[in-house]
Amino acid sequence: MDMNHRKTLNHCEAPVRSQEAPSIMLLKNLEEEIIEGSEKKSVLAQQTHEAHQLQVRRSNHLPIAVTVQAKVALKPGRSLMDWIRLGRSNQDLNGFKGSTMDISVEELTKHNKQEDAWIAIRGKVYNVTPYMEYHPGGIEELMRGAGLDGTQLFDEVHKWVNFESMLEKCYIGKLKVTTPIHKRESTPAQPAQIKNLQQNGPSLAALKPPSGPVPPRFDWFQNKNSVSLVIYTKCKHMRRDCVIIQRSELTLLCILYIEDYNYFVNIELANKIKDNYDVRIQKETGKTEIVFPKETESQWSSIGRFLDQHNTFRNTKDVETTYHSCNIESVSEVSHDCKLLCIHLPPELSMCVPLGHHVHVQHNISGMTIARSYTAVIKSLLPDKQDDRLGSVIYLMIKIYKDGALTPWIGSLSPGDTIDISYPEGTFKEERLKDVTDLVLYAAGTGFTPMIKLVYHCLHVDQKPARNIKLMFFNKTENDILWKDQLDSLTQDFKNFTVEYVLSEANDNWQGQKGRVTKEIMETFTPASTKDSSNLLICACGPTAFTEIVSRYSKELGYKDDSFHAFLG
Ligand SMILES: Cc1cc2nc3c(=O)[nH]c(=O)nc-3n(C[C@H](O)[C@H](O)[C@H](O)COP(=O)(O)OP(=O)(O)OC[C@H]3O[C@@H](n4cnc5c(N)ncnc54)[C@H](O)[C@@H]3O)c2cc1C
Ligand code: HEM
């Protein structure tokens, strides 16, 4: 299924109905199929609005009103593959037949119209006029950066998008900054520096966010056999999968995921440590201790030298996307068009992907570097088929689109090939499940992927027999249903787990539900008794149109905003 339009948001306000969609616009087939006929027109119209913005009220644990933007439907012939093709053609995309020049701020600001739009990102000026209709976020969104230094705007939405490669042919030149440039701000000011009060002072002071969690404190200890790095996170939700460790012979980088922030420990160690290590987390205080055995017994006079970024605490959206070259260990067929990839991380990296989070996969397609997001899954939903190599392998379940930009390449990968994977990202919080007694999941196509770990977690890891888990899984045909055998087997083993399959193109033998997502179908599936309860969590994932409609219906059915979580990308 087309998962091209996912963004993580909480329950959104019901979108305003708008005018008829222009006929030249098209929504991807699946989106049209999944949505009930009567709703199709309005969703189509919403989707084809160039800037598609949803006012999203975040739930209790994120009590700030934010605006979340989603992708829009593009005109036929304006897909990413079409943009790649245009880039390969000899068309003059920068407007100067490829020649480049330094651009003054005054000059940049003149090019702020749709038919003549330049944008500066990280000191480089691009003519984005030819890209307008290809921009997946829509023309209006791209125009927000026209004639300006759009770096901050760009980073806020998709810092991981490789603009340098995608806009290579649109590059005009370097931005000459002589006067202060007008930057359009859309978030609070950047983190301010705070005084570093630590005993074992780092080379860089911690950066305190304007709001959000308190910056952690770092310390280290040793005995003759081992050295311990201690991070006082003050976060009660610290878990092993919130800690990424990357090391070479003497350098050590630890990244801690603390709510929406990353805390960095980056050290060139004074002496060698062994490969194995232990992570100990004190639940009540969030104190996180990473213990490394010393290679030789000795007393170290110091921990070593603090490197760039050590003891910094930054919002994850401000952290640059880093990729690691990983090895494909195995590839298996999940369905006729979907594969399960087991990816081996490099030996120096230990990384788990938290529940509901995704990684980016990056590859150069016909000279353009393309990045796409994929939710990490597990080897199987069945407990006896798990891969216990925690931190060293990740699994991705990916639908291959024959005419897609990136997935045909992914589909061609075999064991032994390499794939570039980023650190995890995402906003779902595992602790959100703590008091949930009714978990209701709506998935369409590969929108099933975030549900995999959720189901596994609730049935096998954080077992609560009193918690009911219900999955409604929308697909075209029976052949499209991912891991049906495993899901069916779980329903046999667990009385508190039910699955309902709904097919839009069922054949005559199909005994289950047919059709698309409707308010009625949701009304009978979501427990009415929990309407006002904080113990209910409804999750939705699929094409944006699907997720939005599930969000809208659950709101119309009277479920509370903070009972809803959507995975939209
Ligand atoms: C947070 C997140 C998590 C995700 N997790 C997963 C996951 O676990 N598994 C998974 O399989 N996917 C997942 N996705 C989707 C994934 O990121 C890609 O979007 C998907 O793999 C398609 O990539 P592609 O480049 O091959 O296809 P694309 O080039 O994007 O094309 C996909 C399809 O859309 C059609 N298309 C493209 N542009 C147009 C247009 N303008 N008009 C009409 N049709 C068009 C193409 O022809 C093709 O059929 C996720 C997305 C997000 C945001
Ligand atoms: C600076 C102004 C810009 C704004 C406000 C903006 C906004 C958006 C929005 C709202 C989306 C949809 C949400 C999402 O999928 O994450 C989006 C998607 C996208 N934008 Fe932009 N954008 C800007 C500039 C650019 C530029 C210069 C490029 C050039 C490469 C670009 C490339 C993309 C791509 C590739 C996507 C799809 C991401 C995906 O696959 O998920 N954007 N943009």
Side-chain angles (χ1 to χ4, degrees):
M1 297 291 170
D2 179 14
M3 291 308 308
N4 215 4
H5 303 301
R6 300 205 293 203
K7 179 142 213 95
T8 305
L9 77 167
N10 292 77
H11 202 153
C12 56
E13 301 290 319
V16 182
R17 278 169 193 269
S18 52
Q19 73 273 20
E20 293 280 316
S23 58
I24 44 164
M25 297 293 198
L26 96 164
L27 261 189
K28 296 189 184 150
N29 296 343
L30 187 261
E31 295 194 349
E32 294 185 2
E33 276 152 15
I34 271 171
I35 301 157
E36 184 197 12
S38 60
E39 296 294 343
K40 190 163 135 186
K41 228 194 272 174
S42 72
V43 171
L44 201 81
Q46 289 151 25
Q47 289 282 317
T48 49
H49 251 67
E50 284 154 354
H52 184 104
Q53 299 196 346
L54 299 169
Q55 270 305 110
V56 173
R57 195 179 306 135
R58 295 205 157 186
S59 61
N60 285 341
H61 56 286
L62 291 167
I64 318 155
V66 290
T67 302
V68 172
Q69 303 97 340
K71 285 190 195 168
V72 300
L74 299 168
K75 285 182 189 175
R78 296 293 182 270
S79 70
L80 179 53
M81 265 329 282
D82 296 314
W83 177 247
I84 293 175
R85 278 183 215 110
L86 186 65
R88 273 185 298 176
S89 72
N90 285 331
Q91 279 206 41
D92 175 14
L93 296 183
N94 83 340
F96 298 95
K97 301 202 167 60
S99 50
T100 59
M101 65 215 78
D102 285 358
I103 304 295
S104 67
V105 173
E106 291 70 30
E107 186 59 35
L108 172 67
T109 50
K110 287 181 202 158
H111 302 270
N112 60 355
K113 290 163 212 72
Q114 194 174 317
E115 58 286 357
D116 175 22
W118 294 5
I119 187 169
I121 305 176
R122 293 194 229 304
K124 292 178 162 186
V125 180
Y126 296 92
N127 181 353
V128 286
T129 323
Y131 185 60
M132 280 291 158
E133 293 192 337
Y134 296 82
H135 179 233
I139 295 175
E140 199 174 302
E141 280 296 308
L142 186 51
M143 280 304 293
R144 290 170 70 206
L148 298 169
D149 180 344
T151 311
Q152 197 176 329
L153 267 177
F154 182 89
D155 284 353
E156 270 170 22
V157 189
H158 40 39
K159 68 172 194 307
W160 50 273
V161 167
N162 199 321
F163 67 93
E164 279 169 311
S165 175
M166 290 182 66
L167 299 179
E168 193 186 350
K169 295 280 168 61
C170 303
Y171 179 62
I172 305 175
K174 276 196 249 141
L175 181 68
K176 275 193 296 180
V177 184
T178 45
T179 50
I181 185 161
H182 173 209
K183 286 190 187 178
R184 195 168 283 175
E185 311 257 341
S186 54
T187 50
Q190 287 299 298
Q193 283 209 316
I194 57 158
K195 203 174 159 203
N196 169 34
L197 299 168
Q198 293 170 53
Q199 294 295 308
N200 298 285
S203 55
L204 288 176
L207 292 171
K208 188 192 182 309
S211 59
V214 181
R217 194 167 66 80
F218 168 78
D219 211 339
W220 72 281
F221 302 97
Q222 62 175 321
N223 61 34
K224 67 178 177 6
N225 300 316
S226 67
V227 58
S228 296
L229 308 182
V230 184
I231 301 111
Y232 299 92
T233 68
K234 300 184 191 71
C235 171
K236 293 199 169 111
H237 313 300
M238 281 307 289
R239 295 179 312 274
R240 175 65 188 83
D241 63 6
C242 300
V243 183
I244 292 178
I245 295 175
Q246 193 191 328
R247 37 174 308 195
S248 61
E249 202 175 28
L250 279 178
T251 57
L252 177 64
L253 171 68
C254 307
I255 307 175
L256 275 70
Y257 283 63
I258 302 168
E259 297 183 19
D260 297 327
Y261 289 82
N262 282 174
Y263 178 73
F264 292 82
V265 170
N266 197 11
I267 306 173
E268 186 182 288
L269 296 167
N271 293 293
K272 286 187 185 170
I273 47 177
K274 288 189 179 157
D275 283 344
N276 54 320
Y277 60 87
D278 193 16
V279 178
R280 299 170 192 161
I281 295 171
Q282 225 175 61
K283 278 235 173 293
E284 307 72 43
T285 60
K287 178 183 163 193
T288 303
E289 193 176 355
I290 311 168
V291 186
F292 296 93
K294 291 178 176 172
E295 192 160 284
T296 49
E297 283 184 19
S298 64
Q299 194 65 20
W300 293 12
S301 57
S302 83
I303 182 77
R305 192 166 64 89
F306 296 117
L307 300 174
D308 191 23
Q309 297 193 17
H310 175 72
N311 196 26
T312 55
F313 191 47
R314 288 183 287 157
N315 196 308
T316 38
K317 73 176 169 51
D318 298 326
V319 176
E320 52 292 337
T321 311
T322 313
Y323 288 89
H324 295 274
S325 177
C326 305
N327 255 300
I328 304 281
E329 187 176 288
S330 66
V331 181
S332 49
E333 307 283 329
V334 180
S335 73
H336 61 103
D337 60 2
C338 187
K339 296 191 176 194
L340 182 70
L341 277 69
C342 173
I343 297 164
H344 209 285
L345 302 176
E348 67 276 9
L349 178 67
S350 167
M351 169 178 111
C352 299
V353 182
L355 208 61
H357 285 219
H358 57 273
V359 292
H360 304 296
V361 168
Q362 174 181 273
H363 188 66
N364 189 299
I365 306 288
S366 308
M368 209 175 269
T369 307
I370 305 297
R372 292 285 194 224
S373 316
Y374 297 99
T375 310
V377 298
I378 42 179
K379 189 178 177 188
S380 160
L381 276 166
L382 308 177
D384 54 337
K385 300 257 168 65
Q386 291 311 303
D387 191 329
D388 53 13
R389 292 172 294 169
L390 204 70
S392 57
V393 286
I394 62 168
Y395 285 85
L396 301 180
M397 187 183 274
I398 299 182
K399 173 176 171 171
I400 311 300
Y401 294 87
K402 285 199 184 85
D403 57 350
L406 187 69
T407 51
W409 170 75
I410 294 178
S412 74
L413 293 172
S414 317
D417 289 340
T418 54
I419 184 167
D420 288 354
I421 303 278
S422 74
Y423 290 130
E425 278 181 26
T427 58
F428 186 82
K429 307 272 187 297
E430 188 179 310
E431 54 274 17
R432 178 68 186 82
L433 293 169
K434 199 170 131 255
D435 300 320
V436 169
T437 51
D438 284 281
L439 180 64
V440 183
L441 309 171
Y442 291 97
T446 50
F448 174 54
T449 55
M451 311 309 179
I452 292 175
K453 277 199 187 179
L454 272 178
V455 168
Y456 188 84
H457 178 85
C458 292
L459 293 181
H460 303 297
V461 182
D462 181 28
Q463 289 179 327
K464 289 189 180 139
R467 174 155 61 197
N468 290 312
I469 301 130
K470 300 178 83 180
L471 168 67
M472 185 167 266
F473 194 3
F474 294 84
N475 284 283
K476 251 190 204 173
T477 70
E478 197 171 350
N479 286 341
D480 296 318
I481 303 175
L482 304 168
W483 280 359
K484 183 170 186 299
D485 291 352
Q486 297 185 34
L487 288 168
D488 291 342
S489 142
L490 287 181
T491 58
Q492 300 297 312
D493 295 346
F494 293 89
K495 294 272 164 298
N496 58 336
F497 179 58
T498 45
V499 187
E500 192 86 62
Y501 305 106
V502 186
L503 299 183
S504 61
E505 287 178 19
N507 64 24
D508 295 341
N509 303 328
W510 178 247
Q511 305 285 310
Q513 295 228 47
K514 293 178 187 171
R516 303 180 174 96
V517 62
T518 63
K519 207 195 284 188
E520 292 67 41
I521 237 178
M522 283 182 59
E523 190 162 24
T524 42
F525 195 67
T526 319
S529 57
T530 51
K531 256 184 192 159
D532 296 321
S533 159
S534 56
N535 300 334
L536 168 74
L537 180 62
I538 303 172
C539 293
C541 190
T544 305
F546 169 84
T547 312
E548 282 177 11
I549 213 122
V550 175
S551 163
R552 167 135 52 104
Y553 289 158
S554 60
K555 194 175 173 63
E556 286 172 13
L557 288 167
Y559 294 100
K560 293 197 300 190
D561 279 2
D562 56 6
S563 295
F564 188 85
H565 183 92
F567 297 91
L568 275 173

